Amino acid sequence: MAEPVAVDTDVLLKVAAYRMANEFVDSIAGKGPPSILGLTHIIAGKQLMRRRKQLRDVGRAVSELDTLLGICERLEPEDEEIRIAAEFAGMAQDRGLPLDPGEAQLAAIVASRALPLMVTGDKRAISALCQLVEDTPIREVFVGKLACFEQIISAVAGLIGEVAVRERICSEPEMDGAMRLACSCDRAVWDPVQLSEACSSFVGAVRAEVGDLLAGDSAFA
C-alpha cells in the first residue's frame, strides 16, 4: 500500500473551490493518496465559509470539499510527532518565520514517518521549513518531498488541459490572485501558454530558494 501524501488545508480549500478533487487525487496518485490532519475534517468547512465572500458558488465549493474530505485519509499525530511539531513551531516563532501549527504538524509527521510528499498552498511555509532544517540532520528527510500548489495546477493541466483548468480557476477567480492573473480571467483572449509559463515561473522561484527540498516534476502525474 502506498504511503499517504500530506496535504495542508489551504490546498484543500483551493482544490474544492476549483472543483478539482478527482484531478488533484489523480495528480499525486504516483506518490500516494491525499491525507490530512484529523482536525482538518472538523475545521476545513468552517475555514471555507470564512472565505465565502471570495466565492461565487459557495454551495458547489462546499459539496466539492465534502467529496475531497471523504477521499482523504487521516493523519493522527503521535506524541513524538507532537513534540517535533512544537519544536518546529517554536523555532519558527523565534526566528520570525511563517510556519503555522498545522504546517509544523504535517512536517513533523512527514519527517517521522518518511512520507513521500507534503503539499502546501503557502510557498512561504516551504521557505520557512527549509530554513529551519538547513544544516541539520533532519534536512535529508525532506529532500524532494515538499510541493507547492502551482505544481499541482501544472500537473492537473497536464491531465485535463490548460483550457479546462482556466475554466475552473476563472469560475472562482478570487481564490488565488496569482492564478487569476495567469489565466487572464478578466479577458476574453488568452493564450494557454500563459498558465504553463506562470506555473514554471512560480515553481522556479521556489526551487531557487529551497533547492532540492522541492519535489521534481516526476512526483506528479
Side-chain angles (χ1 to χ4, degrees):
M1 181 179 293
E3 293 291 337
V5 171
V7 181
D8 83 349
T9 308
D10 187 60
V11 169
L12 289 184
L13 301 186
K14 291 179 180 178
V15 167
Y18 295 151
R19 303 190 307 280
M20 292 181 178
N22 292 327
E23 292 84 357
F24 170 59
V25 173
D26 289 344
S27 74
I28 62 171
K31 286 295 184 180
S35 305
I36 55 180
L37 295 174
L39 184 62
T40 303
H41 282 81
I42 300 172
I43 66 172
K46 295 177 181 178
Q47 291 188 349
L48 183 64
M49 291 309 295
R50 290 194 192 105
R51 301 178 68 171
R52 62 185 178 275
K53 291 184 179 179
Q54 297 176 294
L55 295 168
R56 291 181 174 177
D57 194 330
V58 176
R60 293 183 72 174
V62 169
S63 177
E64 191 78 357
L65 179 62
D66 287 343
T67 296
L68 193 52
L69 290 174
I71 294 171
C72 290
E73 297 182 4
R74 299 191 182 204
L75 295 171
E76 300 294 351
E78 299 178 355
D79 290 345
E80 178 63 11
E81 292 165 344
I82 293 173
R83 184 196 67 77
I84 295 172
E87 187 174 312
F88 279 153
M91 290 167 57
Q93 184 174 18
D94 290 343
R95 297 171 61 177
L97 298 174
L99 187 72
D100 70 31
E103 291 161 343
Q105 189 63 77
L106 285 178
I109 292 174
V110 169
S112 176
R113 306 182 194 181
L115 299 187
L117 201 64
M118 172 178 164
V119 186
T120 175
D122 188 350
K123 294 183 286 295
R124 299 174 307 160
I126 296 177
S127 175
L129 189 57
C130 176
Q131 293 177 63
L132 291 178
V133 303
E134 193 67 27
D135 299 322
T136 70
I138 203 172
R139 183 187 188 281
E140 190 65 24
V141 177
F142 290 102
V143 171
K145 293 187 176 182
L146 303 181
C148 61
F149 183 65
E150 290 76 14
Q151 289 176 292
I152 297 300
I153 291 296
S154 182
V156 172
L159 292 171
I160 64 175
E162 286 83 357
V163 172
V165 169
R166 185 195 189 220
E167 290 175 355
R168 310 283 184 91
I169 289 172
C170 293
S171 70
E172 295 292 354
E174 301 307 316
M175 279 301 290
D176 188 306
M179 287 295 99
R180 181 183 69 244
L181 292 174
C183 291
S184 297
C185 291
D186 59 343
R187 298 182 181 180
V189 178
W190 175 76
D191 186 343
V193 173
Q194 287 181 233
L195 180 60
S196 58
E197 288 181 345
C199 287
S200 294
S201 178
F202 290 135
V203 173
V206 177
R207 196 177 302 283
E209 188 170 358
V210 306
D212 62 355
L213 296 192
L214 194 68
D217 293 341
S218 60
F220 308 95

